[in-house]
Amino acid sequence: GSGGEQIAPASAAKQLSIKASLLEILAELSEEGLLTSYNGEDDPHIEMVKKSISYMKEHFSEKIYIRDLAQQVNMNEQYFCRFFKKSIGKSPVEHLTELRIRQALHLLRNTDKSVMEISLECGFHNLGNFMRAFKKTTGYTPLQYRKSASS
């Protein structure tokens, strides 16, 4: 854009990744009841994002539709998607895919379940979609990852 502050793309991506991680940590602390007092203004937007992230974590193995997430926080789907992306730098779908891939990485490292079992357990109901998302995220196929993680 013209004028304004310029941030290098890698730097902006890193900042957004950090912001997303912090919101996830806040969501987890909140779920555990460890955020009892808050000294600033209560930001309903942050609460909405935390609620959405918590919902994704609890239901990532199921089919999750944007309309379900939007209904959780009483927003229309379009506004919810824009709002979520503005808040953490990723769309709800990107965040959900990331959660699912993280779980798949854990299962590939720590179980001997088949790739198909892991795919289903992580909410991918199509093996091809799982393989594409996994390779796009990690640079490896699930079996290549498992092999490199075990050596």
Side-chain angles (χ1 to χ4, degrees):
S2 60
E5 187 179 331
Q6 291 291 320
I7 299 176
S11 169
K14 186 76 180 149
Q15 286 177 2
L16 291 170
S17 176
I18 290 167
K19 195 173 184 182
S21 298
L22 288 172
L23 282 170
E24 279 189 44
I25 292 167
L26 285 172
E28 289 197 12
L29 290 171
S30 178
E31 283 169 21
E32 300 300 324
L34 298 172
L35 291 182
T36 49
S37 66
Y38 178 68
N39 294 335
E41 298 287 314
D42 274 344
D43 185 343
H45 293 107
I46 288 177
E47 289 307 312
M48 288 177 191
V49 172
K50 288 194 311 192
K51 186 173 182 178
S52 299
I53 289 172
S54 293
Y55 183 87
M56 286 183 205
K57 283 184 174 178
E58 289 167 31
H59 300 277
F60 73 86
S61 64
E62 306 160 26
K63 280 194 181 202
I64 296 179
Y65 298 95
I66 296 298
R67 69 171 176 264
D68 300 331
L69 294 170
Q71 282 171 355
Q72 290 283 314
V73 294
N74 299 317
M75 286 184 184
N76 79 43
E77 293 175 42
Q78 266 189 313
Y79 182 73
F80 171 75
C81 288
R82 278 198 310 268
F83 169 77
F84 192 95
K85 183 157 186 158
K86 186 173 189 257
S87 298
I88 72 164
K90 289 181 259 189
S91 73
V93 172
E94 289 167 331
H95 185 74
L96 181 60
T97 299
E98 219 172 80
L99 274 175
R100 289 173 167 165
I101 296 296
R102 259 190 259 150
Q103 180 64 15
L105 290 168
H106 172 76
L107 292 172
L108 285 164
R109 273 193 315 270
N110 300 302
T111 73
D112 57 1
K113 292 179 179 184
S114 73
V115 171
M116 186 68 190
E117 283 177 292
I118 290 172
S119 169
L120 292 169
E121 197 172 313
C122 293
F124 290 93
H125 301 283
N126 175 303
L127 188 58
N129 290 345
F130 172 64
M131 303 286 278
R132 266 189 302 283
F134 193 92
K135 179 125 186 173
K136 182 180 176 201
T137 305
T138 66
Y140 296 97
T141 67
L143 290 176
Q144 287 170 335
Y145 176 79
R146 176 175 269 164
K147 193 174 176 188
S148 73
S150 69
S151 58

